[in-house]
Each structure stands twice: as C-alpha cells, then as structure tokens.
Amino acid sequence: MPAISLWRATLAAIALATVTAGAAVAATDWPSKSITLVVPYPPGGPTDIVARSVAQGLSEELGQTVIVDNRSGAGGNIGAELVANSDPDGYTLLLGTTAHAINMSLFKNLNYDTQKSFAPISLLTQGPLVIVTRPDLPAKNVGELIALAKASPGKLTFASSGNGQSTHLSAELFNAMAGTRMVHVPYRGSAPAMTDVMGGQADLMFNTMLSSMPYVRDGKLKALAVTSAARSAAASDIPTIAEAGLPGYEATAWNGLLAPAGTPDAVLQKLSAALKKVLARPALQKQFAQQGFDAQWMTPADFQKFIDNEVKKWAEVVKVSGATVN
C-alpha cells in the first residue's frame, strides 16, 4: 500500500476509534442531565396521563428529571417528527401510540417512518377503548346505536383525539363493519374531544377507558361497549362491541417509549431496565388497571416486532374503512 494511502487509512481508523470511544463514554455517563419526554398530544388526555406517571417513575429510577413536553397536532405527527430529528443521545424520547402505527398507511406524506426513524425501548400500556356518548343520546346499547345511525345517515358525529388516532380508526372500522355513516370530527387531543361529547357538540367517541370512565361513573357520559375481544376487568358490566351487536369487532390502544434511531444500545438498555422496574410497581399497575390499561414491559427487540405487526394490522383497517388523510 502506498505511504499516502496507509497514512489516510491510519487517520480514518483513529477517527473511527475516537468516535466509538466517545459514544461509549457518553453512554456510560448517561444520563448526566434532564431528559425530555415528548408527548404528541395536549395535557390531560390519556396519553399524557400515562406519560406523566412513567416520567415520574423514570426520574426516580434514573436519578434525573424527566420533563414532559406536550407537542400536539397533526394526529401525533408533529411530536413524532420532532423526536425523529432530535440528536440520538437518549435525552429526547417519544411517547408513541397506536396512531404512529396507523399513520404509516393513513397519511400520504410523512416526514418520519415509525419502523425506521425510532429505536424502540418498550411497550408501556395496552387496553381497550370504550364507546361513550352524550348522556341524552337515544341509544342505550350498540344495537340501538347502529339503528339510530342507519336511520339518519351522516347526522351522528363521533369525536376523536385527531386524524389517524385509534379513537378515529376504531370508529371508522365500526362504520365499515356496521354499515353506518357516522361523521368524524377530529380534535387536538382526547380531552377537548371528550369535553365536547359531554357538552353535546358531538354525539359520541371511541375513547380510552383511562380518561373516560371517571366521567361515566359521574353520569357525564354514557358507556355502551368496549372495543376489546373480552370484557375489561376495570368495568366488567360493560359488554364488548362484538357481544353487543357487532360480531368480530376488536380494536385496542397502546402506548410505548421510543428514542431517535441511532441512540446507543447502552442507553436503550439502561432505559429498558429502568422501565421494567417502573412498570412492575404495584401502585402503577393498580393505577392503570383501574382505568382499563395493562402495564406491559417488553424488550426493545420484542417491541420492534410488536410495532411491525401493528403497522401491518392497521394498514388493513385503513384499507377496509376507506379512511384517508391528505
């Protein structure tokens, strides 16, 4: 090898070794400052509630403050894009949801790829949605809701936490399977959508049990059915949609933790280990269970497989429902 080529190769090897060593040291020292957890929805909604509980637990396990940063809009895409373009150093994380699997097929142009732009850390929670209506809606069960919707095509409205959310596509799947034509009204998060259902500005919503059930118990909302295949332990008196009049229907919602692609594996493993402890806390498990969610930890590899399966599953739902977002 010519001397000049050997010299260049040596410099390249030294540079690579320096970068690799620097990354290793950074991963070893991580976290040395506060961590930002981006929640792509407004404060007060179900995703925000999960995020703040998990952030507190991670703060205690990691010894650094985990700050929740709400960046809502565009069906969860604004927050996701922000994290996808952040430095892959473990200091900016995303509270990912079912929507980020749905958006892959629902939106024509995304500035991130759910399967490639992020490094998966773990699933956090999973659970059914519940159909809640304004208290005076003249439908006491799923069968009556279907009959009411068919009697007035295009008049019943369903609110959602935004285009592409599970609260949107679950209702679109219902429309497709029941042969109804309820009209979608998207909001910038679950909390404002639910407020309008309670106020009568929208007729119903497919919402998480975490944020809906307190209002159901107070009589401010009426619960018709849950979207899971089996009844929820958090409200065993509420039937499933399948048993209440629409056989074969099933949909669930989830939350998970993601980092930008390229985040050092050592950092991901530290986060994974900390999350395993947080999600195993009895108090946290009880808190989520009371609201219809199961706390579920996964390895990064298993969570990647989970995401891949979700993207595929919801692509089929988007196709069946005919839902699109420009």
Side-chain angles (χ1 to χ4, degrees):
M1 177 182 292
I4 188 66
S5 298
L6 179 61
W7 175 69
R8 287 174 176 170
T10 302
L11 284 180
I14 292 172
L16 178 62
T18 301
V19 170
T20 302
V25 170
T28 301
D29 292 343
W30 186 93
S32 59
K33 61 181 181 180
S34 61
I35 300 164
T36 298
L37 175 55
V38 175
V39 177
Y41 306 103
T47 303
D48 183 67
I49 293 171
V50 170
R52 292 180 186 278
S53 297
V54 170
Q56 180 179 343
L58 283 177
S59 295
E60 294 164 358
E61 292 293 337
L62 296 172
Q64 290 287 349
T65 302
V66 178
I67 302 167
V68 173
D69 183 8
N70 297 89
R71 296 295 185 98
S72 62
N77 290 332
I78 290 176
E81 183 179 345
L82 185 154
V83 176
N85 292 321
S86 296
D87 291 336
D89 54 12
Y91 291 104
T92 306
L93 308 174
L94 174 69
L95 203 297
T97 72
T98 317
H100 297 109
I102 295 171
N103 290 352
M104 289 287 288
S105 55
L106 187 68
F107 286 82
K108 294 180 180 179
N109 298 301
L110 286 180
N111 293 320
Y112 68 91
D113 185 312
T114 303
Q115 294 168 285
K116 298 177 181 179
S117 300
F118 304 103
I121 300 168
S122 176
L123 187 69
L124 299 175
T125 64
Q126 188 172 19
L129 303 178
V130 57
I131 301 179
V132 289
T133 74
R134 53 184 173 86
D136 60 342
L137 187 74
K140 298 186 293 294
N141 53 54
V142 169
E144 291 183 3
L145 175 62
I146 293 173
L148 183 63
K150 286 185 175 180
S152 304
K155 289 190 177 181
L156 282 185
T157 58
F158 71 89
S160 82
S161 53
N163 286 315
Q165 310 304 302
S166 57
T167 55
H168 170 203
L169 265 292
S170 295
E172 293 288 9
L173 179 61
F174 183 94
N175 265 339
M177 292 182 66
T180 54
R181 192 156 55 86
M182 299 184 294
V183 177
H184 179 217
V185 183
Y187 288 77
R188 291 175 63 89
S190 176
M194 194 165 49
T195 296
D196 270 12
V197 174
M198 287 188 285
Q201 285 76 38
D203 294 310
L204 64 136
M205 183 177 182
F206 285 58
N207 198 21
T208 62
M209 299 186 73
L210 184 65
S211 57
S212 296
M213 293 311 297
Y215 297 101
V216 172
R217 296 187 186 102
D218 289 344
K220 296 178 180 178
L221 290 170
K222 182 168 57 178
L224 302 188
V226 294
T227 63
S228 49
R231 294 194 181 199
S232 170
S236 58
D237 57 322
I238 301 176
T240 67
I241 291 176
E243 69 178 291
L246 197 57
Y249 183 98
E250 181 184 3
T252 57
W254 56 267
N255 294 291
L257 194 63
L258 301 165
T263 300
D265 185 65
V267 172
L268 298 177
Q269 292 303 325
K270 279 188 177 183
L271 277 165
S272 176
L275 268 180
K276 187 174 185 179
K277 294 178 181 179
V278 171
L279 295 176
R281 294 181 177 184
L284 190 71
Q285 291 185 344
K286 182 179 180 181
Q287 174 193 344
F288 289 155
Q290 287 176 337
Q291 303 296 346
F293 271 132
D294 292 328
Q296 295 184 11
W297 177 83
M298 284 184 179
T299 65
D302 286 342
F303 189 34
Q304 182 66 65
K305 293 177 183 177
F306 177 87
I307 291 171
D308 292 343
N309 289 333
E310 283 289 290
V311 169
K312 182 179 179 180
K313 179 186 78 175
W314 285 106
E316 290 297 317
V317 174
V318 170
K319 183 178 179 180
V320 169
S321 69
T324 58
V325 177
N326 293 328

